[in-house]
Amino acid sequence: MSVKLVYKFSEGGEDMRPLLGGKGAGLAEMTRVGLHVPPGFTITTEACKSYYESGQGLSESLKEDIVAHMEALEQETGKSFGGHNVPLLVSVRSGAPVSMPGMMDTVLNLGLNDQSVVGLYEATGDLRFSYDCYRRFIQMFGNVVLDIEHHEFEREFSILKRSEGAAQDQDVSAQGLRSLVETYKGIVKEKAGIEFPSDPYEQLFMAVSAVFRSWNNQRAIIYRKINKIPDSLGTAVNIQVMVFGNMGNESATGVMFTRDPSTGENVLYGEYLVNAQGEDVVAGLRTPKHISEIDNDLPGMLGELK
């Protein structure tokens, strides 16, 4: 009998942490108790082990399984993966059984191409938001999947900001971001020697492979050695419907703990940024605010989070 390598969040739980990884088990547990978790699925640590055993390739059966789960997400959300109308975008994240913060890789806004970005604009009516997602996706995909140095993209973004007199990333115009997307595609072609992939399933399979590869990147290997974490565990991959913290000043993103991690005090502890995506918080590109201030920007949100 074939081993099950992909689980919907609704099928898992904390008892499956070695298989689903810490993040996948947490998402499953939160889904189980009825919290507002965007739907998705987890590719197991066993699939990661198989990836390495087979010479670092995704099997056809695993690809078919991923496609079937994506089609189920399309049904559930009423959105189309890579579609021209109401496109479905996903995040692709690592999730080892033992926490390894910042050691492995993430790709956001996956599923965007020249057609679906127009669909995103038509669905939201926000051209700037749509191209902000697209430039973020190309930059993250270029860095994580194609090994292009982060600064190659950041340099061009800085040039654009200076030319527009934009103090912050969020001040750059929609037309500026649209031109930046074309510049970023040129960087991909020059540095990786390929056209930026437009097929959403090609994007997805390449991103899953990249997350599996990141289990054995240099910083992850050193982290495991220092913390005495076995190399044999592997990482899971979590694929989840995107929600957007960068849809203007009525949305935000952040990191939050139910206790102060340094003192153990039973208070909400964390940071957030308005009109941003999660990587902006963890990358230190902008200075976040303390979670206790969030009602100043989004009235009533602190109570909802509690």
Side-chain angles (χ1 to χ4, degrees):
M1 196 172 80
S2 61
V3 177
K4 185 173 170 69
L5 295 178
V6 184
Y7 287 81
K8 291 189 286 189
F9 294 160
S10 57
E11 296 177 312
E14 183 56 40
D15 59 329
M16 297 169 69
R17 176 177 284 259
L19 192 63
L20 302 178
K23 195 171 288 163
L27 288 163
E29 203 66 28
M30 290 190 291
T31 300
R32 190 180 62 80
V33 299
L35 295 179
H36 292 293
V37 178
F41 56 91
T42 301
I43 304 168
T44 67
T45 55
E46 288 300 317
C48 180
K49 294 171 192 174
S50 297
Y51 173 81
Y52 281 104
E53 287 164 5
S54 65
Q56 300 191 28
L58 301 180
S59 69
E60 287 306 312
S61 61
L62 179 59
K63 288 181 180 178
E64 288 167 11
D65 215 354
I66 291 169
V67 170
H69 279 78
M70 286 301 300
E71 288 171 347
L73 281 184
E74 289 180 314
Q75 290 283 325
E76 187 173 349
T77 60
K79 297 179 178 181
S80 171
F81 186 46
H84 298 202
N85 301 311
V86 198
L88 172 63
L89 306 183
V90 295
S91 61
V92 180
R93 288 187 170 92
S94 61
V98 178
S99 180
M100 293 172 56
M103 292 302 108
M104 291 178 297
D105 292 320
T106 294
V107 179
L108 303 180
N109 309 314
L110 189 141
L112 280 173
N113 56 32
D114 290 352
Q115 287 73 47
S116 60
V117 73
V118 175
L120 188 62
Y121 166 51
E122 289 172 351
T124 62
D126 191 334
L127 189 67
R128 192 200 172 283
F129 158 73
S130 303
Y131 278 93
D132 185 47
C133 289
Y134 199 7
R135 69 95 187 163
R136 287 170 181 274
F137 171 49
I138 296 173
Q139 181 165 345
M140 294 183 87
F141 191 94
N143 178 240
V144 168
V145 180
L146 302 175
D147 295 321
I148 300 169
E149 291 290 340
H150 194 66
H151 66 78
E152 298 285 352
F153 298 102
E154 279 302 314
R155 182 174 58 238
E156 294 300 329
F157 198 16
S158 296
I159 291 168
L160 174 62
K161 281 193 284 189
R162 280 199 300 275
S163 73
E164 290 200 351
Q168 303 281 345
D169 293 3
Q170 64 268 35
D171 298 329
V172 175
S173 69
Q175 296 307 326
L177 291 172
R178 180 143 63 176
S179 71
L180 189 64
V181 161
E182 295 307 314
T183 303
Y184 278 8
K185 286 187 203 167
I187 292 171
V188 168
K189 187 163 187 180
E190 180 192 346
K191 299 296 178 182
I194 61 166
E195 298 287 346
F196 187 80
S198 60
D199 180 82
Y201 278 108
E202 183 182 2
Q203 295 172 356
L204 184 57
F205 297 146
M206 288 174 76
V208 170
S209 296
V211 172
F212 283 156
R213 283 199 307 276
S214 72
W215 174 251
N216 276 336
N217 69 33
Q218 199 59 37
R219 66 182 188 270
I221 290 169
I222 292 167
Y223 184 92
R224 288 200 297 274
K225 196 169 187 177
I226 292 168
N227 292 281
K228 298 182 170 54
I229 298 169
D231 289 333
S232 59
L233 296 178
T235 182
V237 181
N238 299 290
I239 295 169
Q240 187 172 23
V241 173
M242 279 293 303
V243 291
F244 302 99
N246 59 325
M247 286 191 78
N249 292 329
E250 296 74 43
S251 55
T253 185
V255 178
M256 193 173 74
F257 300 83
T258 53
R259 288 179 180 268
D260 184 325
S262 55
T263 67
E265 185 186 356
N266 188 11
V267 293
L268 280 192
Y269 178 94
E271 298 175 321
Y272 75 98
L273 282 172
V274 170
N275 196 12
Q277 288 199 320
E279 292 305 292
D280 299 344
V281 179
V282 297
L285 301 174
R286 287 165 55 190
T287 304
K289 300 179 184 179
H290 194 276
I291 202 78
S292 61
E293 300 174 42
I294 198 167
D295 277 357
N296 298 335
D297 292 307
L298 301 168
M301 185 52 65
L302 190 62
E304 191 174 334
L305 287 170
K306 283 181 176 176

